[in-house]
Amino acid sequence: MFVGPDWDYDKTEDGSQKIAGELQLRKYGKFLEDYGNQLKGIEEALAESICSTLDCRTDPVGIKLSPHENTSLLQIIDTDNKVLNKVVTVFASLCKEVRCLQADASDKYYNALLFYGEGVEEGTKNEAAQLMISRLLPDLQSLSCFLKRCEQVEVNIIQQIAALYPTTKDVPQVINATDIHFQDVFEHLGDLLLILVTLDEIISTQSTLHNHWSLFKRTIKSVHHDPTKFGVPPEKLKTFEKMLCELENQLLTGKIFQRAVEQAFDDRKPSISKNTALAEEFDAYLRSTSAELEARQTEKLDSESALLWVKTSALYVLNFHLFGSLDKKVFKQLWDFSKKVPAASLYGYVTWYPERFLLTHIPAMSKLYDKKAQQNLESLRLNYLQQKTVGVVKDSHTFSLQVCCWMIQMEALLKSEHQNLKIEDISHRCNVFLQGVQYACWINHIVKTVTNLHVSLSKPMTKTEVMALCRLIELLKGIQHTYHVHYTTTSETVNHIFQLLSYQALIIITNVKKGLVQDKRYSEKHLDILSALVLAERVLHGCGTKDRRLVLRLAICAANQGHTFRDDSLASLVSIVYRLNVICELQERIAEVCNCSFMYWHRVILPIYFEHLYENKADLHRVVYMFCALHDCIGAILKTKHNSSTDVLKHTFSEEVCGYLRKSIVVPLCHSIETDLRLHVHSHLQLEDSNPFNVGVKDNLSLLKVQPIRFMDYYIDIKGYVEHYLDETFYNLTTVALHDWKTYKEMRTLARNKFGLVTVEDHLPSQTLEQGLDVLEIMRNINEFVCQYLYNLNNQIFIQHSSSNKHLNTINIRHIANSIRTHGTGIMNTAVNFTYQFLRKKFFIFSQFMYDEHIKSRLIKDIRYFRENKNQLESKYPFDRAEKFNRGIRKLGLTADGQSYLDKFRTLISHIGNAMGYVQMIRSGGLHCCSNATSFIPDLDDVVNFEDLCEEEGLSRECCEAAKRLDQVISNLTRNFAEGTEYFKLLVDVFAPTFRDPKNIHLRNFFAIIPPLTINFIEHSITSKEKMSKKNKVGAAFTDDGFAMGIAYILKLLDQHAEFDSLHWFQSVRDKYSKDKAALTGENSVVSKDDEKLQQTMTLTAKRLDAYKQEFDLLYYTLSSARIFFQKDSVPLEQDSVKYGSRSVLSGSS
């Protein structure tokens, strides 16, 4: 390393030491350069996937900065001075034992006792309470043994210190310890007493433990009356009862500390109580620590200073019980300090009050101060809390600025070049590292003190105070996070800092050693000092383990006799050793002071914190640090013993925290986003004022951008929760009101575009407000359907004829497809079959009308006339003859509602056409449904057989069976998709043979009735359309393409398309209206323009002629479109007409 015991220094300093130190640092940095580059590459590769949540325990790879070596204390403490070796070895071993006891108390007992009864409902039954005590009993027995070990170590430390200071000259002196002050030994003795004080305070606050213990003892006594009933031998029961009494007396009476300080320390002569040198050492340590506490109090108290105060008070009580005397000056210092700082946090929510402690264990002190002075401390405690409450807001702002500046400084330092560092750079990094630890200690003390005092004094917190405390907790975890994410770079710098500090300490020690070596007056004391300095040098030449640092401090204490060190050198050396301790324990110190497991006891502040975050929506990333603080509670929960499993308390705690989050943030956020989407979708309605300048802006997007937060063993995803809420809400509300599907579809799209929320499609059958009937309902009531709905061929839609409401229901292909998807494709065949049954009945009426003598005779007469005068008529059926037929039918009689038989026949034709339109929509809807269902099949012509593939791969029988079912489903879909076009052909094939049968020759006259039918239909259509503009809309309609569909269908059944076309009926109609229009035009040219009435009459006549001509043109186009559906091969007459019982259709039998 930098210096060694055999180096020969010149009398004058030429700067060679500094050069050598820098050279050594560069060599060490080069040694680690390759390793650092590798770690840097790994960090950069994982940079994007590293979660922002801090949890050191879940890191896949961690770096432990604490140095370690397989070297015992005997190997470290190896000088030529054997006596000094023994003294230092003894004290180092005892101090090391105290450290082990501290670790055991923290790991095994504090949390097991503090958390007793947590996670259990209030009013627990007796059986559960007894089970909890029985689970804790092994730990109570272990605690009993632990306390005995603590008492033994305490006695051993006192006796070993007393052995350094013999009371009489008769006792041989181990070492000349006149000016030796082993301050570290007293400090570790204080740490040991602190364990006992903490256990006393924890148990005294556990009322649940005392209650359950009393209940358990009563149960044991009841067993004692009849032990055979429980299968317990009486002698074992007595032993067990005795053990319970011993545990109660030792642990539950609150005298753990008192028993330890009142135990017998004099198992040998001379008596320790008469050792004045030891008493002086005690007094000297107490005075120095009291002065140190006063000095720290003038600056800023931290958690370490608070615990030093407790240790000083405990040592003062021990000093009183050892020597029976009170140092009034020290007592006055402690009493005055208790006025300034009247409480200290020990562990968790446990608070220690100094005056209670001192008055309890030193009753004689009560004579020094009257009751009024003691009562004033209560008011001082409240004033202290009020002062801290006021200051915590200011502290949060101050520390926010300081910690943020420190974080920036850390980022800049650790990202800068760290290969060729100078001593000034390393020293600067050391200061920055230590500054972060100091900030964490101050913040930790403030948060613990304020929260625990509020709990202890039962004083409520204000919202401002809660938010300030939460801000400090976030800063605490932010400091830890900063260290944690830079441990890769920090690990290199820590080694450099350790070397620099060791080098600086060696320079001071070597300078002192050189002065001692030049002094030729050797004495035993002189040699002891030199040996202690050599030991210190030897320790500094190794790594910075806890044992080496402990031995270093003890060696400095042994060497600091008289004026070995100058005051400035000693202060520098003490500062260097303190820095060395912090740097070597950097990781442990940060983990300790940033541990927020105390938040478990103050979790009631979480609702206020979450509500504040939701209201302000500023710096929402900070919530990650709060959950990191809550996650620290898991380490303490895992050490509990009273439950059957630690998972019980973990689950209870996580449910409570997540419940606060859901209630305060997530649920209001869900409702806010849903409301925002609804208002946006319904913005066309008359809503309340939504001007952001008037009502403000709700920034919901910032909450959705918060990354998933790791808590316990799962992640809290606010965005995912909102997406799930919207999925569930949209699905449930759509199932309740299917007609709102479009609204929720728009809200899904808006949620994606506005908030980035990806919701899952519900795939529910959609409906609209205008949907009137379901396919199943239509099928069951097809008679009413064809009467109440009008068919529109062009738009493929059915419109309700009339309604008592202000709207008309409509049915289109999409509705039919949704119904088919709801009920299955099997309903298509059933619907067509129902339509067939309906057509059978209608065709029977159709046949009866055509068979009527009045109708048949007139038709035969018209056909004969047309054929005889075909040439004169130019093969055009005369319009006047059709019009005469229409008027002649009315002479046969009218129905009660004023309709002629031809009107009834037209209506019958329309009903038949509506039924065929329904079949057409069934066909189209089926194709639409099957198309959607088969959209994920790549090729319908080449469908893969999944069953064969599964068998080839040798999959399980269940998998093959599932593949078989999938093949069946796909086959059914493709078959339905292909066969959807055959329904018209089926209905033509089933009726055509009967229609064309010679027995039904009277039907062959149908083509001749079409002209008068069309005239009747046009008159009806114009009348219906005129009613659309009238107030009374009874009978109003703007479409009725069922008539054209019915004409086309019957023409196909009778195979009379050619016969009808031979009439050239629509050409005749166009000629007729053209002639009428020309005649009207001629008359108009002759009539005087002054005759206004005649002009108006002729204008109206022209409009009427145009209207009729337009209606005939529309009918012609519609009929031409309808006939396209039936342009198939003609049905052979010899086809079997028995199918579906079609022979009986026209004969009237059912």
Side-chain angles (χ1 to χ4, degrees):
M1 300 292 287
F2 302 131
V3 296
D6 299 326
W7 284 26
D8 187 16
Y9 291 94
D10 297 331
K11 293 183 179 180
T12 58
E13 177 60 46
D14 57 358
S16 59
Q17 297 180 13
K18 183 176 180 180
I19 296 172
E22 293 180 355
L23 178 63
Q24 191 69 21
L25 286 174
R26 284 195 294 271
K27 287 182 179 180
Y28 194 77
K30 189 176 181 180
F31 173 75
L32 294 174
E33 183 176 0
D34 293 338
Y35 178 66
N37 290 335
Q38 291 178 1
L39 292 179
K40 187 71 175 178
I42 294 174
E43 183 181 13
E44 291 176 354
L46 298 177
E48 295 183 358
S49 60
I50 293 176
C51 181
S52 59
T53 305
L54 170 66
D55 187 4
C56 309
R57 288 167 290 187
T58 58
D59 289 343
V61 178
I63 299 176
K64 194 168 185 179
L65 302 183
S66 301
H68 176 74
E69 64 176 351
N70 293 322
T71 306
S72 64
L73 284 174
L74 293 176
Q75 292 173 317
I76 296 173
I77 307 171
D78 186 14
T79 66
D80 295 334
N81 192 333
K82 303 300 180 184
V83 177
L84 180 66
N85 290 350
K86 291 181 180 180
V87 172
V88 175
T89 302
V90 167
F91 285 125
S93 300
L94 288 172
C95 293
K96 187 176 180 180
E97 179 66 19
V98 171
R99 289 206 307 259
C100 293
L101 291 173
Q102 279 184 301
D104 286 346
S106 178
D107 292 340
K108 297 180 181 179
Y109 305 115
Y110 287 170
N111 291 308
L113 293 172
L114 199 63
F115 279 83
Y116 181 83
E118 291 296 318
V120 181
E121 296 180 359
E122 296 183 4
T124 305
K125 294 183 179 180
N126 296 345
E127 296 81 358
Q130 294 166 16
L131 282 174
M132 290 165 61
I133 284 291
S134 62
R135 295 189 191 107
L136 192 65
L137 269 180
D139 293 276
L140 293 177
Q141 290 178 293
S142 175
L143 178 60
S144 175
C145 299
F146 173 81
L147 293 176
K148 291 177 182 177
R149 177 61 181 164
C150 290
E151 293 171 0
Q152 292 172 358
V153 173
E154 179 191 5
V155 171
N156 200 343
I157 292 175
I158 296 296
Q159 291 177 350
Q160 294 295 344
I161 298 175
L164 285 179
Y165 309 101
T167 55
T168 62
K169 296 181 179 180
D170 300 336
V171 179
Q173 191 175 22
V174 177
I175 191 173
N176 188 357
T178 305
D179 295 325
I180 300 178
H181 308 286
F182 284 110
Q183 301 284 337
D184 274 77
V185 179
F186 284 100
E187 184 177 344
H188 281 80
L189 179 60
D191 290 332
L192 182 62
L193 296 177
L194 177 62
I195 297 172
L196 306 178
V197 172
T198 304
L199 287 172
D200 258 341
E201 294 294 334
I202 289 175
I203 294 176
S204 65
T205 59
Q206 264 295 359
S207 58
T208 305
L209 176 61
H210 288 84
N211 295 335
H212 288 184
W213 184 266
S214 302
L215 181 63
F216 187 75
K217 284 201 308 179
R218 289 198 299 269
T219 304
I220 298 301
K221 287 183 180 180
S222 64
V223 174
H224 189 69
H225 294 296
D226 190 7
T228 57
K229 181 179 179 181
F230 300 94
V232 181
E235 57 276 8
K236 286 188 177 182
L237 189 60
K238 291 181 179 179
T239 305
F240 185 66
E241 284 185 320
K242 183 179 179 183
M243 187 258 307
L244 292 179
C245 291
E246 291 176 354
L247 289 177
E248 183 177 10
N249 293 331
Q250 184 184 10
L251 305 178
L252 303 181
T253 54
K255 296 181 178 180
I256 295 176
F257 172 76
Q258 185 175 345
R259 189 179 297 105
V261 298
E262 290 178 352
Q263 66 177 321
F265 294 95
D266 299 327
D267 59 347
R268 65 185 75 175
K269 293 185 178 182
S271 174
I272 292 177
S273 59
K274 298 178 181 180
N275 192 329
T276 55
L278 178 61
E280 290 176 358
E281 281 297 310
F282 253 104
D283 291 339
Y285 177 77
L286 291 173
R287 285 194 294 272
S288 66
T289 52
S290 299
E292 183 180 356
L293 282 174
E294 287 291 339
R296 293 190 182 185
Q297 198 273 333
T298 56
E299 299 175 357
K300 280 184 182 179
L301 275 180
D302 55 17
S303 53
E304 185 178 350
S305 302
L307 294 180
L308 178 62
W309 179 28
V310 182
K311 290 187 284 187
T312 303
S313 301
L315 286 170
Y316 185 79
V317 174
L318 176 61
N319 180 46
F320 170 77
H321 285 284
L322 278 175
F323 306 108
S325 61
L326 286 173
D327 189 330
K328 294 185 179 180
K329 184 177 179 181
V330 175
F331 174 74
K332 187 176 185 305
Q333 288 179 327
L334 294 176
W335 191 265
D336 292 341
F337 192 77
S338 66
K339 292 179 181 178
K340 299 174 182 176
V341 186
S345 297
L346 293 179
Y347 193 87
Y349 66 89
V350 178
T351 304
W352 177 81
Y353 297 110
E355 81 285 355
R356 295 180 186 176
F357 176 79
L358 293 173
L359 293 175
T360 300
H361 297 288
I362 309 178
M365 289 181 58
S366 59
K367 299 177 182 179
L368 301 177
Y369 294 92
D370 55 9
K371 291 185 177 180
K372 186 177 180 180
Q374 298 174 20
Q375 292 174 355
N376 287 338
L377 287 174
E378 295 290 337
S379 60
L380 287 174
R381 195 174 294 125
L382 294 174
N383 293 335
Y384 177 74
L385 175 59
Q386 186 177 3
Q387 177 186 352
K388 282 290 183 182
T389 301
V390 174
V392 72
V393 179
K394 181 180 178 182
D395 289 338
S396 68
H397 294 302
T398 304
F399 279 116
S400 294
L401 180 61
Q402 292 176 343
V403 171
C404 288
C405 293
W406 172 82
M407 288 180 177
I408 295 172
Q409 198 173 6
M410 278 282 289
E411 291 283 343
L413 278 177
L414 297 177
K415 288 184 177 179
S416 61
E417 178 63 33
H418 57 274
Q419 300 299 331
N420 299 315
L421 295 175
K422 296 181 179 180
I423 290 180
E424 293 79 7
D425 299 330
I426 298 174
S427 179
H428 179 56
R429 292 193 175 204
C430 176
N431 293 333
V432 174
F433 286 179
L434 295 177
Q435 188 64 55
V437 177
Q438 190 60 58
Y439 284 147
C441 290
W442 286 336
I443 294 173
N444 179 281
H445 174 70
I446 292 172
V447 173
K448 283 186 176 179
T449 301
V450 174
T451 53
N452 289 344
L453 275 177
H454 274 285
V455 172
S456 179
L457 301 178
S458 301
K459 296 296 180 181
M461 291 186 188
T462 62
K463 183 177 180 179
T464 305
E465 184 182 357
V466 168
M467 295 314 303
L469 288 172
C470 291
R471 180 59 176 161
L472 291 175
I473 292 171
E474 292 167 354
L475 292 175
L476 203 59
K477 301 310 292 186
I479 292 173
Q480 185 180 10
H481 180 69
T482 303
Y483 280 110
H484 177 67
V485 297
H486 291 108
Y487 271 145
T488 304
T489 312
T490 304
S491 60
E492 301 177 20
T493 308
V494 163
N495 289 322
H496 296 160
I497 295 173
F498 173 74
Q499 285 188 331
L500 176 62
L501 294 176
S502 300
Y503 169 67
Q504 293 172 349
L506 283 169
I507 289 176
I508 297 174
I509 293 172
T510 304
N511 289 336
V512 173
K513 182 183 172 185
K514 285 168 61 178
L516 290 174
V517 171
Q518 291 174 0
D519 188 357
K520 303 301 181 181
R521 295 175 297 172
Y522 288 101
S523 64
E524 185 177 349
K525 181 177 181 180
H526 193 85
L527 291 175
D528 289 341
I529 295 174
L530 278 175
S531 299
L533 292 175
V534 170
L535 178 59
E537 282 184 333
R538 181 184 177 87
V539 169
L540 287 171
H541 281 295
C543 60
T545 61
K546 289 184 178 180
D547 290 346
R548 283 185 179 271
R549 287 183 276 113
L550 174 60
V551 173
L552 173 63
R553 295 195 300 272
L554 293 174
I556 292 173
C557 291
N560 187 27
Q561 301 183 33
H563 297 283
T564 304
F565 295 94
R566 297 195 308 269
D567 290 343
D568 57 341
S569 298
L570 181 61
S572 298
L573 185 60
V574 171
S575 175
I576 291 170
V577 172
Y578 171 77
R579 288 165 167 254
L580 204 61
N581 281 332
V582 177
I583 289 298
C584 291
E585 296 179 354
L586 182 64
Q587 207 167 18
E588 289 83 355
R589 285 285 185 99
I590 289 297
E592 180 183 356
V593 297
C594 296
N595 188 334
C596 297
S597 57
F598 61 87
M599 275 297 295
Y600 178 88
W601 309 106
H602 310 294
R603 59 191 184 276
V604 292
I605 68 176
L606 292 178
I608 300 175
Y609 171 75
F610 289 145
E611 288 172 3
H612 177 79
L613 279 183
Y614 180 75
E615 291 171 0
N616 293 338
K617 297 182 177 65
D619 298 332
L620 294 171
H621 62 276
R622 299 182 310 173
V623 73
V624 175
Y625 295 114
M626 179 57 69
F627 273 94
C628 292
L630 295 172
H631 195 79
D632 289 341
C633 303
I634 304 305
I637 290 175
L638 293 176
K639 296 170 185 176
T640 58
K641 305 292 183 180
H642 60 282
N643 286 315
S644 58
S645 171
T646 56
D647 293 337
V648 176
L649 185 53
K650 276 180 60 178
H651 178 72
T652 303
F653 178 62
S654 66
E655 284 297 315
E656 183 176 358
V657 172
C658 293
Y660 291 148
L661 181 68
R662 283 193 296 269
K663 182 178 179 181
S664 303
I665 292 182
V666 180
V667 173
L669 176 63
C670 292
H671 293 163
S672 177
I673 289 178
E674 183 187 0
T675 303
D676 184 87
L677 294 175
R678 290 188 183 279
L679 292 177
H680 199 123
V681 170
H682 297 94
S683 58
H684 60 283
L685 302 177
Q686 188 69 25
L687 302 175
E688 297 179 359
D689 185 15
S690 59
N691 190 331
F693 295 100
N694 298 332
V695 299
V697 178
K698 295 182 179 179
D699 184 18
N700 295 322
L701 192 60
S702 56
L703 277 170
L704 297 175
K705 291 181 179 179
V706 176
Q707 294 296 317
I709 304 166
R710 190 177 190 279
F711 184 58
M712 300 290 186
D713 298 326
Y714 51 88
Y715 284 89
I716 299 173
D717 187 0
I718 296 178
K719 181 180 178 182
Y721 189 97
V722 175
E723 290 175 343
H724 174 72
Y725 170 81
L726 293 179
D727 283 335
E728 184 179 5
T729 303
F730 293 165
Y731 183 88
N732 291 339
L733 295 179
T734 305
T735 55
V736 172
L738 289 174
H739 57 269
D740 286 337
W741 69 272
K742 187 175 181 181
T743 301
Y744 295 111
K745 179 71 174 179
E746 292 177 359
M747 291 174 68
R748 288 180 189 276
T749 306
L750 186 61
R752 178 191 290 271
N753 296 330
K754 189 173 183 179
F755 300 107
L757 297 171
V758 181
T759 55
V760 180
E761 291 290 341
D762 49 34
H763 298 290
L764 286 171
S766 54
Q767 289 188 349
T768 58
L769 186 65
E770 65 269 16
Q771 176 160 354
L773 300 172
D774 183 70
V775 168
L776 187 61
E777 189 176 353
I778 295 173
M779 181 180 68
R780 291 171 177 171
N781 303 281
I782 193 169
N783 291 319
E784 298 178 6
F785 171 75
V786 297
C787 297
Q788 296 178 2
Y789 281 78
L790 302 175
Y791 180 55
N792 186 284
L793 180 64
N794 187 41
N795 294 317
Q796 287 290 295
I797 188 173
F798 275 100
I799 303 168
Q800 192 175 11
H801 189 275
S802 61
S803 173
S804 58
N805 301 321
K806 293 183 179 181
H807 64 272
L808 299 177
N809 293 328
T810 61
I811 302 172
N812 56 32
I813 295 176
R814 186 177 67 253
H815 305 146
I816 299 296
N818 293 334
S819 297
I820 292 173
R821 197 171 118 208
T822 303
H823 302 293
T825 55
I827 198 172
M828 296 168 61
N829 294 329
T830 307
V832 174
N833 193 28
F834 267 79
T835 305
Y836 160 73
Q837 299 293 340
F838 167 77
L839 291 175
R840 284 180 59 193
K841 298 177 182 177
K842 291 299 179 182
F843 281 139
F844 176 71
I845 300 172
F846 173 83
S847 177
Q848 285 184 325
F849 180 83
M850 295 297 295
Y851 195 75
D852 185 85
E853 286 297 332
H854 297 285
I855 303 300
K856 184 169 61 172
S857 62
R858 285 176 180 268
L859 289 177
I860 293 173
K861 182 180 179 181
D862 288 342
I863 293 171
R864 185 184 304 115
Y865 173 80
F866 177 72
R867 288 174 180 173
E868 291 176 352
N869 301 282
K870 189 172 184 180
N871 294 331
Q872 293 84 352
L873 297 174
E874 298 179 355
S875 299
K876 297 176 185 178
Y877 192 87
F879 183 87
D880 56 349
R881 198 163 186 90
E883 193 173 20
K884 180 181 178 182
F885 185 97
N886 184 28
R887 290 196 299 267
I889 294 297
R890 297 186 66 85
K891 295 178 181 180
L892 296 178
L894 299 175
T895 59
D897 54 357
Q899 289 188 340
S900 67
Y901 292 111
L902 193 60
D903 291 330
K904 289 290 187 180
F905 188 62
R906 170 185 48 79
T907 305
L908 175 67
I909 299 296
S910 296
H911 290 173
I912 294 174
N914 288 342
M916 295 305 295
Y918 172 62
V919 172
Q920 170 62 19
M921 290 188 63
I922 289 288
R923 165 183 168 271
S924 301
L927 291 175
H928 192 276
C929 180
C930 292
S931 176
N932 291 336
T934 57
S935 59
F936 298 100
I937 301 176
D939 188 358
L940 292 176
D941 297 329
D942 184 17
V943 179
V944 178
N945 191 296
F946 289 96
E947 184 180 8
D948 295 342
L949 292 177
C950 292
E951 291 177 353
E952 290 176 5
E953 295 296 328
L955 299 180
S956 63
R957 183 178 60 81
E958 291 79 5
C959 188
C960 294
E961 188 67 23
K964 182 180 179 181
R965 296 286 184 271
L966 177 60
D967 289 335
Q968 292 176 353
V969 171
I970 295 176
S971 175
N972 185 42
L973 287 174
T974 54
R975 186 174 63 252
N976 287 335
F977 185 74
E979 294 179 357
T981 59
E982 299 296 327
Y983 290 124
F984 269 15
K985 186 175 183 301
L986 287 175
L987 290 175
V988 170
D989 293 346
V990 74
F991 289 113
T994 305
F995 269 70
R996 301 173 192 178
D997 194 306
K999 295 181 180 179
N1000 297 316
I1001 191 64
H1002 59 282
L1003 300 180
R1004 305 297 295 175
N1005 301 326
F1006 174 73
F1007 75 96
I1009 203 175
I1010 294 178
L1013 267 179
T1014 56
I1015 294 174
N1016 183 278
F1017 172 77
I1018 295 302
E1019 292 175 351
H1020 167 73
S1021 177
I1022 291 176
T1023 303
S1024 299
K1025 288 181 179 181
E1026 288 175 351
K1027 291 181 179 179
M1028 292 289 293
S1029 59
K1030 295 181 179 179
K1031 187 175 182 180
N1032 185 8
K1033 292 182 172 57
V1034 177
F1038 63 89
T1039 183
D1040 188 7
D1041 293 341
F1043 174 76
M1045 181 65 78
I1047 293 292
Y1049 178 48
I1050 296 174
L1051 286 175
K1052 180 62 178 178
L1053 292 180
L1054 294 170
D1055 195 18
Q1056 288 189 337
H1057 285 296
E1059 286 84 345
F1060 174 70
D1061 291 339
S1062 67
L1063 298 179
H1064 298 93
W1065 166 243
F1066 289 101
Q1067 182 63 41
S1068 176
V1069 171
R1070 282 192 290 271
D1071 292 345
K1072 191 266 182 188
Y1073 284 107
S1074 296
K1075 290 179 182 178
D1076 290 350
K1077 192 71 178 290
L1080 184 64
T1081 304
E1083 292 179 8
N1084 192 20
S1085 60
V1086 177
V1087 175
S1088 174
K1089 294 182 179 180
D1090 296 334
D1091 194 349
E1092 294 182 0
K1093 292 185 178 180
L1094 186 58
Q1095 287 288 344
Q1096 291 177 359
T1097 302
M1098 297 185 70
T1099 301
L1100 293 175
T1101 303
K1103 289 183 179 180
R1104 182 178 61 81
L1105 292 175
D1106 290 338
Y1108 272 83
K1109 184 176 182 301
Q1110 184 180 8
E1111 288 298 324
F1112 269 109
D1113 288 341
L1114 289 176
L1115 177 60
Y1116 170 70
Y1117 300 144
T1118 305
L1119 181 59
S1120 300
S1121 300
R1123 291 175 63 180
I1124 294 175
F1125 289 121
F1126 304 97
Q1127 287 182 355
K1128 303 292 181 181
D1129 296 336
S1130 298
V1131 180
L1133 292 176
E1134 62 272 11
Q1135 183 175 352
D1136 184 12
S1137 58
V1138 181
K1139 187 177 181 181
Y1140 298 108
S1142 59
R1143 287 192 181 275
S1144 61
V1145 173
L1146 303 180
S1147 61
S1149 60
S1150 59

